[in-house]
């Protein structure tokens, strides 16, 4: 099976059901330290030594998001970045959400 991070997000046009149950747990099992919330979204918090490192990380997430055409919710504060991902079009999770999470995890971070 191809690593999630080697794949590309597929635009959701709607009219597809969100993933549930075993499909979600199988995909979540391929990620490190992401949390599944109410079978609706996944989230993770990254820690940094200062604001500038977090900001650089956010900018790198932004580049990936633009390249993939899939955009997470991002919260930046001193020393931390929180990322929440779901497919807004269907108000739930698709495989693309997990692909984006895997790509974000490949960005170097130091804490």
């Amino acid at each position: 099976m191809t690593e999630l991070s080697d794949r590309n997000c597929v635009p959701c046009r709607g009219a597809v059901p969100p993933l549930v149950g075993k499909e979600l747990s199988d995909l979540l099992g391929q990620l490190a330290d992401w949390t599944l919330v109410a079978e609706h979204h996944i989230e993770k918090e990254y820690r940094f030594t200062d604001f500038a490192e977090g900001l650089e990380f956010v900018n790198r997430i932004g580049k990936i998001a633009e390249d993939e055409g899939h955009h997470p919710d991002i919260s930046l504060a001193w020393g931390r970045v929180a990322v929440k991902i779901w497919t807004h079009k269907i108000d739930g999770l698709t495989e693309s959400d997990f692909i984006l999470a895997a790509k974000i995890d490949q960005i170097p971070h130091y804490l």
Side-chain angles (χ1 to χ4, degrees), residues 21-79:
K22 183 170 175 14
E23 293 172 307
L24 287 176
S25 59
D26 288 349
L27 288 166
L28 188 65
Q30 297 177 56
L31 300 176
D33 303 317
W34 285 82
T35 302
L36 175 64
V37 179
E39 290 195 342
H40 175 266
H41 63 273
I42 54 176
E43 60 187 22
K44 184 173 181 176
E45 185 172 282
Y46 298 85
R47 296 287 182 164
F48 299 90
T49 58
D50 59 27
F51 187 83
E53 283 181 5
L55 180 58
E56 180 181 335
F57 187 73
V58 166
N59 287 331
R60 293 185 72 185
I61 291 172
K63 170 77 169 95
I64 292 169
E66 284 297 301
D67 289 348
E68 294 296 321
H70 196 46
H71 304 90
D73 287 1
I74 305 168
S75 173
L76 169 64
W78 194 98

Side-chain angles (χ1 to χ4, degrees), residues 4 24 27-28 31 42 93-102:
L4 284 172
L24 287 176
L27 288 166
L28 188 65
L31 300 176
I42 54 176
L93 289 160
T94 66
E95 186 175 68
S96 290
D97 300 307
F98 294 87
I99 291 169
L100 182 60

